[in-house]
Coordinates of all heavy atoms in Angstrom, one line a residue:
M1 N 13.5 33.3 4.2 CA 14.5 32.4 4.6 C 15.8 32.7 4.1 O 15.9 33.2 2.9 CB 14.1 31.0 4.1 CG 12.8 30.4 4.7 SD 13.1 29.6 6.2 CE 13.4 27.9 5.7
A2 N 16.8 32.5 4.8 CA 18.2 32.8 4.4 C 19.1 31.7 4.8 O 18.8 31.0 5.8 CB 18.7 34.1 5.0
K3 N 20.2 31.6 4.1 CA 21.2 30.6 4.4 C 22.1 31.2 5.5 O 22.5 32.4 5.4 CB 22.1 30.3 3.2 CG 21.5 29.4 2.2 CD 22.5 29.1 1.1 CE 21.8 28.4 -0.1 NZ 22.8 28.2 -1.2
Y4 N 22.5 30.4 6.5 CA 23.4 30.8 7.5 C 24.6 29.8 7.7 O 24.4 28.6 7.4 CB 22.6 30.8 8.9 CG 21.7 32.0 9.0 CD1 20.4 31.9 8.6 CD2 22.2 33.2 9.5 CE1 19.5 33.0 8.7 CE2 21.3 34.3 9.6 CZ 20.0 34.2 9.2 OH 19.2 35.3 9.3
Y5 N 25.7 30.4 8.1 CA 26.9 29.7 8.2 C 27.6 30.0 9.5 O 27.4 31.1 10.1 CB 27.9 30.1 7.1 CG 27.4 29.8 5.7 CD1 26.6 30.6 5.0 CD2 27.8 28.6 5.1 CE1 26.1 30.3 3.7 CE2 27.4 28.2 3.8 CZ 26.5 29.1 3.2 OH 26.0 28.8 1.9
V6 N 28.4 29.1 10.1 CA 29.2 29.4 11.2 C 30.7 29.2 10.9 O 31.0 28.3 10.1 CB 28.8 28.5 12.4 CG1 29.0 27.0 12.2 CG2 29.5 28.9 13.7
N7 N 31.5 30.1 11.4 CA 32.9 30.1 11.2 C 33.5 28.8 11.8 O 33.3 28.5 12.9 CB 33.5 31.3 11.8 CG 34.9 31.6 11.3 OD1 35.5 30.8 10.6 ND2 35.5 32.7 11.7
I8 N 34.4 28.1 11.0 CA 35.1 26.9 11.4 C 36.2 27.3 12.4 O 36.3 26.7 13.5 CB 35.7 26.1 10.3 CG1 34.6 25.4 9.5 CG2 36.7 25.1 10.8 CD1 35.1 24.7 8.2
T9 N 36.9 28.4 12.1 CA 37.9 28.9 13.0 C 37.3 30.0 13.9 O 36.3 30.5 13.6 CB 39.1 29.5 12.2 OG1 38.6 30.5 11.3 CG2 39.8 28.4 11.4
K10 N 38.0 30.2 15.0 CA 37.5 31.3 15.9 C 37.7 32.6 15.3 O 38.6 33.0 14.7 CB 38.1 31.1 17.3 CG 37.6 29.8 17.9 CD 38.0 29.6 19.3 CE 37.4 28.3 19.9 NZ 37.7 28.1 21.3
S11 N 36.7 33.5 15.6 CA 36.6 34.8 15.1 C 37.7 35.7 15.6 O 38.2 35.6 16.7 CB 35.3 35.4 15.4 OG 35.2 36.8 15.0
H12 N 38.1 36.7 14.7 CA 39.0 37.7 15.1 C 38.3 38.8 15.8 O 38.8 39.5 16.7 CB 39.8 38.3 13.9 CG 40.6 37.3 13.2 ND1 41.8 36.8 13.8 CD2 40.6 36.7 12.0 CE1 42.3 35.9 13.0 NE2 41.6 35.9 11.9
T13 N 37.1 39.1 15.4 CA 36.3 40.2 16.0 C 35.7 39.8 17.4 O 35.5 40.6 18.2 CB 35.2 40.6 15.1 OG1 34.4 39.5 14.7 CG2 35.7 41.3 13.8
S14 N 35.4 38.5 17.6 CA 34.9 38.0 18.8 C 35.8 36.9 19.3 O 35.6 35.8 19.1 CB 33.5 37.5 18.7 OG 32.7 38.4 18.1
P15 N 36.9 37.3 20.0 CA 37.9 36.3 20.4 C 37.3 35.1 21.2 O 36.5 35.3 22.1 CB 38.8 37.1 21.3 CG 38.7 38.5 20.9 CD 37.2 38.6 20.4
G16 N 37.7 33.9 20.7 CA 37.3 32.7 21.4 C 35.9 32.2 21.0 O 35.4 31.2 21.5
K17 N 35.3 32.9 20.0 CA 33.9 32.6 19.6 C 33.9 32.1 18.1 O 34.7 32.6 17.3 CB 33.0 33.7 19.8 CG 32.9 34.4 21.1 CD 32.0 33.7 22.0 CE 31.9 34.4 23.4 NZ 30.9 33.9 24.3
H18 N 32.9 31.3 17.8 CA 32.7 30.9 16.4 C 31.5 31.8 16.0 O 30.4 31.7 16.5 CB 32.3 29.4 16.3 CG 33.4 28.5 16.6 ND1 34.3 28.1 15.7 CD2 33.8 28.0 17.8 CE1 35.2 27.3 16.3 NE2 34.9 27.2 17.6
D19 N 31.8 32.7 15.0 CA 30.8 33.6 14.6 C 29.8 33.1 13.5 O 30.2 32.4 12.6 CB 31.4 34.9 14.1 CG 32.6 34.7 13.2 OD1 33.4 33.8 13.5 OD2 32.8 35.5 12.3
V20 N 28.5 33.5 13.7 CA 27.5 33.0 12.8 C 27.2 34.2 11.8 O 27.0 35.3 12.2 CB 26.2 32.7 13.6 CG1 25.0 32.4 12.6 CG2 26.5 31.5 14.5
H21 N 27.0 33.8 10.5 CA 26.8 34.8 9.5 C 25.7 34.4 8.5 O 25.5 33.2 8.2 CB 28.0 35.1 8.6 CG 29.1 35.7 9.4 ND1 29.3 37.1 9.5 CD2 30.1 35.1 10.1 CE1 30.4 37.3 10.3 NE2 30.9 36.1 10.6
E22 N 25.0 35.4 8.0 CA 24.0 35.2 6.9 C 24.8 35.1 5.7 O 25.9 35.7 5.6 CB 23.0 36.3 6.9 CG 21.8 36.0 6.0 CD 20.9 37.2 5.9 OE1 20.7 37.9 6.9 OE2 20.3 37.4 4.8
E23 N 24.3 34.4 4.7 CA 25.1 34.2 3.4 C 25.6 35.5 2.8 O 26.7 35.5 2.3 CB 24.2 33.4 2.4 CG 24.9 33.1 1.1 CD 23.9 32.5 0.1 OE1 22.7 32.9 0.1 OE2 24.4 31.7 -0.7
R24 N 24.7 36.5 2.7 CA 25.0 37.7 2.0 C 26.0 38.6 2.8 O 26.4 39.7 2.3 CB 23.8 38.5 1.7 CG 23.0 38.9 2.9 CD 21.7 39.5 2.5 NE 20.9 39.9 3.7 CZ 19.6 40.3 3.7 NH1 19.0 40.4 2.6 NH2 19.0 40.5 4.8
C25 N 26.3 38.3 4.0 CA 27.1 39.2 4.9 C 28.5 39.3 4.2 O 29.2 38.3 3.9 CB 27.3 38.6 6.3 SG 28.3 39.6 7.3
P26 N 29.0 40.5 4.1 CA 30.4 40.7 3.6 C 31.5 40.2 4.5 O 32.6 40.1 4.1 CB 30.5 42.3 3.4 CG 29.5 42.8 4.4 CD 28.4 41.8 4.5
Y27 N 31.1 39.9 5.8 CA 32.1 39.5 6.7 C 32.1 38.0 6.9 O 32.8 37.4 7.8 CB 31.9 40.2 8.1 CG 32.2 41.7 8.0 CD1 31.2 42.6 7.8 CD2 33.5 42.2 8.0 CE1 31.4 43.9 7.6 CE2 33.7 43.5 7.9 CZ 32.7 44.4 7.7 OH 32.9 45.7 7.5
T28 N 31.4 37.3 6.1 CA 31.4 35.8 6.2 C 32.8 35.3 5.9 O 33.4 35.6 4.9 CB 30.4 35.2 5.1 OG1 29.1 35.7 5.4 CG2 30.4 33.7 5.3
P29 N 33.3 34.5 6.8 CA 34.7 34.0 6.6 C 34.8 33.0 5.5 O 33.8 32.4 5.2 CB 35.1 33.5 8.0 CG 33.8 33.1 8.6 CD 32.7 34.1 8.1
P30 N 36.0 32.7 5.0 CA 36.2 31.7 3.9 C 35.9 30.3 4.3 O 35.5 29.5 3.5 CB 37.6 31.9 3.5 CG 38.3 32.6 4.7 CD 37.3 33.4 5.4
H31 N 36.1 29.9 5.6 CA 35.9 28.5 6.0 C 34.8 28.4 7.0 O 34.9 28.9 8.1 CB 37.2 28.0 6.6 CG 38.4 28.1 5.7 ND1 38.5 27.4 4.5 CD2 39.5 28.9 5.7 CE1 39.6 27.7 3.9 NE2 40.2 28.6 4.6
T32 N 33.7 27.9 6.5 CA 32.5 27.9 7.4 C 31.8 26.5 7.3 O 32.0 25.7 6.3 CB 31.5 28.9 6.9 OG1 31.2 28.7 5.5 CG2 32.0 30.3 7.1
V33 N 30.9 26.3 8.2 CA 30.0 25.1 8.2 C 28.6 25.7 7.8 O 28.1 26.6 8.4 CB 29.9 24.4 9.6 CG1 28.9 23.3 9.5 CG2 31.3 23.9 9.9
F34 N 27.9 25.1 6.8 CA 26.6 25.5 6.5 C 25.6 25.0 7.5 O 25.6 23.8 7.9 CB 26.2 24.9 5.1 CG 24.8 25.1 4.7 CD1 24.4 26.5 4.5 CD2 24.0 24.1 4.4 CE1 23.1 26.7 4.1 CE2 22.7 24.4 4.0 CZ 22.2 25.7 3.8
L35 N 24.9 25.9 8.1 CA 23.9 25.6 9.2 C 22.6 25.2 8.7 O 21.9 24.3 9.2 CB 23.8 26.8 10.1 CG 25.1 27.1 10.9 CD1 24.8 28.4 11.7 CD2 25.4 26.0 11.9
G36 N 22.1 25.8 7.6 CA 20.8 25.6 7.0 C 20.1 26.8 6.7 O 20.6 27.9 6.8
F37 N 18.8 26.7 6.3 CA 17.9 27.8 6.0 C 17.1 28.2 7.3 O 16.5 27.3 7.8 CB 17.0 27.5 4.9 CG 17.6 27.4 3.5 CD1 18.2 26.2 3.1 CD2 17.7 28.5 2.7 CE1 18.8 26.0 1.9 CE2 18.3 28.4 1.4 CZ 18.8 27.1 1.0
F38 N 17.1 29.4 7.6 CA 16.4 29.8 8.8 C 15.6 31.1 8.5 O 16.1 32.0 7.7 CB 17.3 30.0 10.0 CG 18.0 28.8 10.4 CD1 19.4 28.6 10.0 CD2 17.4 27.8 11.1 CE1 20.0 27.4 10.4 CE2 18.0 26.6 11.4 CZ 19.4 26.4 11.1
N39 N 14.5 31.3 9.3 CA 13.8 32.5 9.2 C 14.4 33.7 9.9 O 14.1 34.9 9.6 CB 12.4 32.3 9.7 CG 11.5 31.5 8.8 OD1 11.5 31.7 7.6 ND2 10.7 30.6 9.4
N40 N 15.2 33.4 10.9 CA 15.9 34.5 11.6 C 17.2 34.0 12.2 O 17.5 32.8 12.2 CB 15.0 35.0 12.7 CG 14.6 33.9 13.6 OD1 15.4 33.2 14.2 ND2 13.2 33.7 13.8
C41 N 18.0 34.9 12.6 CA 19.4 34.6 13.0 C 19.4 33.9 14.4 O 20.3 33.2 14.7 CB 20.3 35.8 13.0 SG 19.6 37.2 13.9
E42 N 18.3 34.1 15.2 CA 18.2 33.4 16.5 C 18.3 31.9 16.3 O 19.0 31.2 17.0 CB 16.9 33.8 17.2 CG 17.0 35.1 17.9 CD 16.4 36.2 17.0 OE1 16.2 36.0 15.8 OE2 16.2 37.3 17.5
M43 N 17.5 31.4 15.3 CA 17.5 30.0 15.0 C 18.8 29.5 14.5 O 19.2 28.4 14.8 CB 16.4 29.6 14.0 CG 15.0 29.9 14.6 SD 14.6 29.1 16.2 CE 14.9 27.4 15.8
A44 N 19.5 30.3 13.7 CA 20.8 29.9 13.2 C 21.8 29.8 14.3 O 22.6 28.9 14.3 CB 21.2 31.0 12.1
V45 N 21.8 30.8 15.2 CA 22.7 30.7 16.3 C 22.4 29.5 17.2 O 23.4 28.8 17.6 CB 22.6 32.0 17.2 CG1 23.3 31.9 18.5 CG2 23.1 33.2 16.4
F46 N 21.2 29.2 17.4 CA 20.9 28.0 18.2 C 21.4 26.7 17.5 O 22.0 25.9 18.1 CB 19.3 27.9 18.4 CG 19.0 26.7 19.2 CD1 19.3 26.7 20.6 CD2 18.4 25.6 18.6 CE1 19.0 25.5 21.3 CE2 18.0 24.5 19.4 CZ 18.3 24.4 20.7
Q47 N 21.2 26.7 16.2 CA 21.8 25.5 15.4 C 23.3 25.5 15.5 O 23.9 24.4 15.7 CB 21.4 25.7 13.9 CG 21.8 24.5 13.1 CD 21.1 23.2 13.4 OE1 20.1 23.1 14.0 NE2 21.7 22.1 13.0
A48 N 23.9 26.6 15.5 CA 25.4 26.7 15.6 C 25.9 26.1 16.9 O 27.0 25.6 17.0 CB 25.9 28.1 15.4
T49 N 25.1 26.3 18.0 CA 25.5 25.8 19.3 C 25.6 24.2 19.3 O 26.2 23.7 20.2 CB 24.6 26.3 20.4 OG1 23.2 25.7 20.2 CG2 24.5 27.8 20.5
K50 N 25.0 23.6 18.3 CA 25.1 22.1 18.2 C 26.4 21.7 17.7 O 26.9 20.6 17.9 CB 24.0 21.6 17.3 CG 22.6 21.8 18.0 CD 21.5 21.4 17.0 CE 20.1 21.7 17.7 NZ 19.0 21.4 16.8
F51 N 27.1 22.6 17.0 CA 28.5 22.4 16.5 C 29.5 22.9 17.4 O 30.5 22.2 17.6 CB 28.7 23.1 15.1 CG 27.8 22.5 14.0 CD1 26.5 23.0 13.8 CD2 28.3 21.5 13.2 CE1 25.7 22.5 12.7 CE2 27.5 21.0 12.2 CZ 26.2 21.5 12.0
Y52 N 29.3 24.0 18.0 CA 30.3 24.6 18.8 C 29.7 25.2 20.1 O 28.6 25.7 20.1 CB 31.0 25.8 18.1 CG 31.7 25.4 16.8 CD1 31.2 25.8 15.6 CD2 32.9 24.6 16.9 CE1 31.8 25.4 14.4 CE2 33.5 24.2 15.7 CZ 33.0 24.6 14.5 OH 33.6 24.2 13.3
S53 N 30.4 25.1 21.2 CA 29.8 25.6 22.5 C 29.9 27.1 22.6 O 29.1 27.7 23.2 CB 30.5 24.9 23.7 OG 31.9 25.1 23.6
D54 N 30.9 27.7 21.9 CA 31.1 29.1 22.0 C 30.8 29.8 20.7 O 31.6 29.8 19.8 CB 32.6 29.5 22.4 CG 32.9 29.0 23.8 OD1 32.0 29.0 24.7 OD2 34.0 28.6 24.0
V55 N 29.6 30.2 20.5 CA 29.2 30.9 19.3 C 28.6 32.3 19.6 O 28.1 32.5 20.7 CB 28.1 30.1 18.5 CG1 28.6 28.7 18.2 CG2 26.8 29.9 19.3
E56 N 28.7 33.1 18.6 CA 28.2 34.4 18.7 C 27.7 34.9 17.3 O 28.4 34.7 16.3 CB 29.3 35.4 19.2 CG 28.9 36.8 19.5 CD 29.9 37.5 20.3 OE1 29.9 37.4 21.5 OE2 30.6 38.3 19.7
A57 N 26.6 35.6 17.3 CA 26.0 36.1 16.1 C 26.9 37.3 15.6 O 27.3 38.1 16.4 CB 24.6 36.6 16.3
C58 N 27.1 37.4 14.3 CA 27.8 38.5 13.7 C 27.0 39.8 14.1 O 25.8 39.9 13.9 CB 27.9 38.3 12.2 SG 28.5 39.7 11.3
T59 N 27.7 40.8 14.5 CA 27.1 42.1 14.8 C 26.7 42.9 13.6 O 25.9 43.8 13.7 CB 28.0 42.9 15.7 OG1 29.2 43.1 15.0 CG2 28.2 42.3 17.1
I60 N 27.2 42.5 12.4 CA 26.8 43.2 11.2 C 25.6 42.6 10.5 O 24.6 43.4 10.2 CB 28.0 43.1 10.2 CG1 29.3 43.6 10.8 CG2 27.7 43.9 8.9 CD1 29.3 45.0 11.3
C61 N 25.5 41.3 10.3 CA 24.4 40.7 9.6 C 23.3 40.2 10.6 O 22.2 39.9 10.1 CB 24.8 39.7 8.7 SG 25.6 38.3 9.4
C62 N 23.6 40.0 11.8 CA 22.7 39.4 12.8 C 22.5 40.4 13.9 O 22.6 40.0 15.1 CB 23.2 38.1 13.3 SG 23.6 36.8 12.1
T63 N 22.1 41.5 13.6 CA 21.9 42.6 14.6 C 20.9 42.2 15.7 O 19.8 41.8 15.4 CB 21.5 43.9 13.9 OG1 22.2 44.1 12.7 CG2 21.6 45.1 14.8
G64 N 21.4 42.3 16.9 CA 20.5 42.1 18.0 C 20.5 40.6 18.5 O 20.1 40.4 19.6
C65 N 20.9 39.7 17.7 CA 20.9 38.3 18.1 C 21.8 37.9 19.2 O 21.4 37.1 20.1 CB 21.2 37.4 16.9 SG 19.8 37.3 15.8
S66 N 23.0 38.4 19.2 CA 24.0 38.0 20.2 C 23.5 38.3 21.6 O 23.8 37.6 22.5 CB 25.3 38.7 19.9 OG 25.2 40.1 19.8
K67 N 22.8 39.4 21.7 CA 22.3 39.8 23.0 C 21.2 38.8 23.6 O 21.1 38.7 24.8 CB 21.6 41.2 23.0 CG 22.5 42.3 22.7 CD 21.7 43.6 22.5 CE 22.6 44.7 21.8 NZ 21.8 45.8 21.3
N68 N 20.5 38.2 22.6 CA 19.4 37.3 23.0 C 19.7 35.9 23.1 O 18.9 35.1 23.4 CB 18.2 37.5 22.1 CG 17.8 39.0 22.0 OD1 17.8 39.7 23.0 ND2 17.3 39.4 20.8
K69 N 21.0 35.5 22.9 CA 21.4 34.1 22.8 C 21.0 33.3 24.1 O 20.4 32.3 24.0 CB 22.9 34.0 22.5 CG 23.2 32.6 22.1 CD 24.7 32.4 21.9 CE 25.5 32.6 23.1 NZ 27.0 32.3 22.9
E70 N 21.4 33.8 25.3 CA 21.2 33.1 26.5 C 19.7 33.0 26.7 O 19.2 31.9 27.1 CB 21.8 33.9 27.7 CG 23.3 33.5 27.9 CD 24.2 34.2 26.9 OE1 23.8 35.2 26.4 OE2 25.3 33.7 26.6
E71 N 19.0 34.1 26.4 CA 17.5 34.1 26.6 C 16.9 33.0 25.7 O 16.0 32.2 26.1 CB 17.0 35.4 26.2 CG 15.9 36.0 27.1 CD 15.6 37.5 26.6 OE1 16.4 38.4 27.0 OE2 14.6 37.6 26.0
L72 N 17.3 32.9 24.5 CA 16.8 32.0 23.5 C 17.1 30.5 24.0 O 16.2 29.7 23.9 CB 17.5 32.2 22.1 CG 17.1 31.1 21.1 CD1 15.7 31.4 20.5 CD2 18.1 31.1 20.0
M73 N 18.3 30.3 24.4 CA 18.6 28.9 24.8 C 17.8 28.5 26.1 O 17.4 27.4 26.2 CB 20.1 28.8 25.1 CG 20.9 28.9 23.9 SD 22.7 28.9 24.1 CE 22.9 27.1 24.5
A74 N 17.5 29.5 26.9 CA 16.7 29.2 28.1 C 15.3 28.8 27.6 O 14.6 27.9 28.2 CB 16.7 30.4 29.0
T75 N 14.8 29.5 26.6 CA 13.4 29.3 26.1 C 13.4 27.9 25.4 O 12.4 27.2 25.6 CB 13.1 30.4 25.0 OG1 13.3 31.6 25.6 CG2 11.6 30.2 24.6
E76 N 14.4 27.6 24.7 CA 14.4 26.3 24.0 C 14.4 25.1 25.0 O 13.8 24.1 24.8 CB 15.7 26.1 23.2 CG 15.7 27.0 21.9 CD 14.8 26.4 20.8 OE1 14.5 25.2 20.8 OE2 14.3 27.2 20.0
K77 N 15.2 25.3 26.1 CA 15.2 24.2 27.2 C 13.9 24.1 27.8 O 13.5 23.0 28.2 CB 16.3 24.6 28.2 CG 17.7 24.2 27.7 CD 18.7 24.7 28.7 CE 20.1 24.6 28.1 NZ 21.1 25.3 29.0
A78 N 13.2 25.2 28.0 CA 11.9 25.2 28.7 C 10.8 24.5 27.9 O 9.9 23.9 28.5 CB 11.5 26.6 29.1
S79 N 10.9 24.7 26.6 CA 9.8 24.2 25.7 C 9.9 22.7 25.4 O 10.9 22.1 25.7 CB 9.7 24.9 24.4 OG 10.9 24.9 23.7
Ligands
LIG1 ZN1 27.9 38.7 9.4

């Protein structure tokens, strides 16, 4: 389990998006909302969508998650 955070302000690296980071990520911004403890970044990104409509997983600490976001949300709606 790891702590995850979402950027309060919109990201510079992903314009218009609120980026999600794991606690240990060197790119975690100074102003964040604590999302909770999650087993994987997919769940953290899903939680972040409850705060902001435009979220994106950090490409450094959440490798692979950003690609699967739409897929994950579709799965969550189906279940
Ligand atoms: Zn990160």
Side-chain angles (χ1 to χ4, degrees):
M1 295 274 267
K3 286 183 186 175
Y4 285 91
Y5 297 85
V6 62
N7 195 353
I8 287 174
T9 57
K10 290 188 176 181
S11 173
H12 294 294
T13 52
S14 303
K17 306 272 186 177
H18 295 269
D19 43 321
V20 174
H21 296 268
E22 195 184 320
E23 182 187 33
R24 65 186 175 188
C25 179
Y27 295 95
T28 301
H31 303 293
T32 55
V33 175
F34 176 57
L35 293 171
F37 288 88
F38 299 102
N39 286 320
N40 56 57
C41 50
E42 282 92 348
M43 293 309 298
V45 169
F46 181 71
Q47 181 68 19
T49 63
K50 294 175 182 174
F51 293 90
Y52 302 110
S53 56
D54 295 326
V55 299
E56 186 167 278
C58 171
T59 53
I60 305 301
C61 62
C62 303
T63 314
C65 285
S66 51
K67 293 175 194 163
N68 300 327
K69 191 180 71 173
E70 277 77 23
E71 223 172 283
L72 174 80
M73 289 178 75
T75 308
E76 288 284 338
K77 280 174 191 168
S79 58

